[in-house]
């Protein structure tokens, strides 16, 4: 049994369009599971014994990586060898790319130019959302950075004060020690 996974990062509530094609394989079974990385893992899609072509569309319920895992299992009684091979073709479309614009064109009777404008509009909207997300993350990172810098500054000031105080105390202590022993006047 061999298991391979492919990971794709997706934002919250993003549409994902999955197309998987599987080649012929003698006495082999390929299973597919699509899961999120949250705890417990969200199972978006699971299919045992894939044959030919599988198409699925789903929306993400959390932000993070989605794992597309394939398991190739030999039937009982067969020993693994390089002679048993099988190809798998996977196509994952996320966000604006995952929308079915052909169905939209038929439903709204759009011309080719109008269809391209709709595609570009969806892509621009996705880019705008991504930029807003990145601005928010940058703000969070900046706040974290400023907080860390303030803590380091106060720790440095405290360390400097303590070391200076300790140095002065040592000088005074040694002076009194040597005066008692009558080594200095």
């Amino acid at each position: 049994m061999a298991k391979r996974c492919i990971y794709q990062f997706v934002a919250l509530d993003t549409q994902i369009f999955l197309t998987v094609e599987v080649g012929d394989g003698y006495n082999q079974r390929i299973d597919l599971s699509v899961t999120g990385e949250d705890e417990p893992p969200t199972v978006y899609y699971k299919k045992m014994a894939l044959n030919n072509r599988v198409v699925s569309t789903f929306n993400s319920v959390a932000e993070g990586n989605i794992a597309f895992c394939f398991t190739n299992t030999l039937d009982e009684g067969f020993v693994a060898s390089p002679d048993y091979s099988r190809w798998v073709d996977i196509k994952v479309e996320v966000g604006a790319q995952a929308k079915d614009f052909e169905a939209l064109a038929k439903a709204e009777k759009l011309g080719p130019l109008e269809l391209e404008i709709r595609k570009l509009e969806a892509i621009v909207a996705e880019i705008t959302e991504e930029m807003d997300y990145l601005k928010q993350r940058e703000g969070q990172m900046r706040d974290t950075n400023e907080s860390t810098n303030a803590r380091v500054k106060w720790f440095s000031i405290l360390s400097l004060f303590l070391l200076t105080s300790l140095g002065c105390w040592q000088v005074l202590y040694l002076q009194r020690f040597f005066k008692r022993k009558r080594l200095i006047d």
Side-chain angles (χ1 to χ4, degrees), residues 22-99:
V22 178
D24 294 330
Y26 179 68
N27 292 318
Q28 298 174 61
R29 185 184 86 223
I30 292 194
D31 304 329
L32 167 66
S33 69
V34 181
T35 58
E37 66 178 3
D38 48 348
E39 285 296 326
T42 304
V43 177
Y44 292 105
Y45 185 78
K46 190 166 191 156
K47 176 98 172 155
M48 307 297 267
L50 291 177
N51 288 318
N52 300 330
R53 186 167 195 228
V54 174
V55 176
S56 177
T57 303
F58 51 89
N59 286 348
S60 63
V61 295
E63 179 181 276
N65 285 322
I66 292 184
F68 302 89
C69 295
F70 296 90
T71 306
N72 189 8
T73 308
L74 279 173
D75 289 339
E76 287 187 36
F78 290 90
V79 179
S81 86
D83 296 334
Y84 296 113
S85 65
R86 201 164 182 186
W87 60 267
V88 175
D89 183 26
I90 180 172
K91 183 177 179 184
V92 178
E93 295 175 335
V94 178
Q97 299 169 346
K99 292 183 181 166

Side-chain angles (χ1 to χ4, degrees), residues 139-172:
Q140 291 173 343
M141 296 286 191
R142 186 183 59 247
D143 292 343
T144 302
N145 188 18
E146 289 172 358
S147 170
T148 303
N149 284 342
R151 289 179 185 156
V152 168
K153 178 183 80 174
W154 287 111
F155 179 75
S156 298
I157 290 170
L158 179 65
S159 297
L160 184 63
F161 175 73
L162 284 173
L163 290 174
T164 305
S165 301
L166 185 62
C168 291
W169 177 80
Q170 284 179 337
V171 168
L172 293 173

Side-chain angles (χ1 to χ4, degrees), residues 97-108:
Q97 299 169 346
K99 292 183 181 166
D100 187 8
F101 286 102
E102 299 302 323
L104 179 68
K106 288 179 184 176
E108 296 186 16

